Amino acid sequence: QSLLTQPPSVSGAPGQRVTISCTGSSSNIGAGYDVNWYQHLPGTAPKLLIYANSNRPSGVSDRFSGSKSGTSASLAITGLQAEDEADYYCQSYDSSLSGSVFGGGTKVTVL
Amino acid sequence: EVRLLESGGGLVQPGGSLRLSCAASGFAFSGYSMTWVRQAPGKGLEWVSGISGSGIDTYYAESVKGRFTISRDISKTTVYLQMNSLRADDTAVYYCAKGLFFGGYPTPFDYWGQGTLITVSS
């Protein structure tokens, strides 16, 4: 059971907007630690999509955006494309564990 | 170009040991923290261990504390994960990853290797 809770799956039609939530607690997101988001296709290396809550690394499409409020964060994907089908993970730091934590992951399906 | 290449994976019996290596290139190795993350079959990503750029500070998930040891050799620009007392639930693909921020920890992980598979089974 991860300390960061994500929905197991979300889906949307091409062109739609989907959001993925990441709910933490006062020892991680609520303590002010940044949230990062990764995209992972099976058999490949995970890719950093969003860092420090809302920042995109160079080369990441602006269709991906992140936000954080209180003990939660969210990732939004606009203009959904078939290539966006992947698993998405939030990640933060937890002070009670003195280590990083990942959410359980959310599978995005493009209908 | 940043490159991370893991090696050392394979089949090991329960209770056995294995050492993973992650050869890094393309960046100022000693300035960035490094991390190991694993993914068990059918499961999500799990943070395993991290080490500061200097190698002085190390961090471990509760599930591996006391069994795994992370280290780095700056001269060889390589990070290691020594895994002892291996259990079936350690079976996973192990990825090494580089910290995004120079000198910082905790930090996001901006570059990842392709992973190496560890199977713990008799």
Side-chain angles (χ1 to χ4, degrees), chain A residues 33 36 38 40 43-48 51-52 87 89 91 93 97-104, chain B residues 37 39 43-47 59-60 62 65 95 100-101 105-114:
Chain A
Y33 293 107
N36 311 299
Y38 301 86
H40 190 207
T44 69
K47 175 184 178 181
L48 178 64
Y51 69 94
D87 297 318
Y89 295 88
Q91 175 254 323
Y93 180 85
L97 300 180
S98 297
S100 293
V101 288
F102 282 93
Chain B
V37 174
Q39 183 177 36
K43 303 292 186 181
L45 298 177
E46 179 189 13
W47 174 79
Y59 313 87
Y60 299 94
E62 285 296 323
K65 200 172 289 185
Y95 297 96
L100 172 63
F101 299 124
Y105 197 93
T107 174
F109 316 128
D110 61 342
Y111 286 93
W112 298 62
Q114 290 299 312

Side-chain angles (χ1 to χ4, degrees), chain A residues 64-111:
Chain A
F64 296 94
S65 62
S67 64
K68 171 188 164 184
S69 178
T71 58
S72 296
S74 65
L75 173 73
I77 310 173
T78 57
L80 199 61
Q81 299 179 3
E83 66 197 48
D84 299 331
E85 277 208 346
D87 297 318
Y88 293 81
Y89 295 88
C90 60
Q91 175 254 323
S92 186
Y93 180 85
D94 190 275
S95 57
S96 65
L97 300 180
S98 297
S100 293
V101 288
F102 282 93
T106 298
K107 183 174 183 59
V108 169
T109 301
V110 181
L111 301 172

Side-chain angles (χ1 to χ4, degrees), chain B residues 29-45:
Chain B
F29 182 73
S30 63
Y32 294 87
S33 64
M34 298 293 293
T35 289
W36 288 95
V37 174
R38 68 185 181 185
Q39 183 177 36
K43 303 292 186 181
L45 298 177

Side-chain angles (χ1 to χ4, degrees), chain B residues 60-104:
Chain B
Y60 299 94
E62 285 296 323
S63 58
V64 306
K65 200 172 289 185
R67 300 188 299 124
F68 290 12
T69 302
I70 190 171
S71 61
R72 65 194 297 163
D73 185 329
I74 294 176
S75 66
K76 295 182 178 178
T77 63
T78 299
V79 181
Y80 304 98
L81 187 67
Q82 177 67 44
M83 303 184 294
N84 299 330
S85 302
L86 282 162
R87 311 184 303 221
D89 62 359
D90 293 317
T91 294
V93 174
Y94 285 73
Y95 297 96
C96 72
K98 167 189 168 292
L100 172 63
F101 299 124
F102 185 89

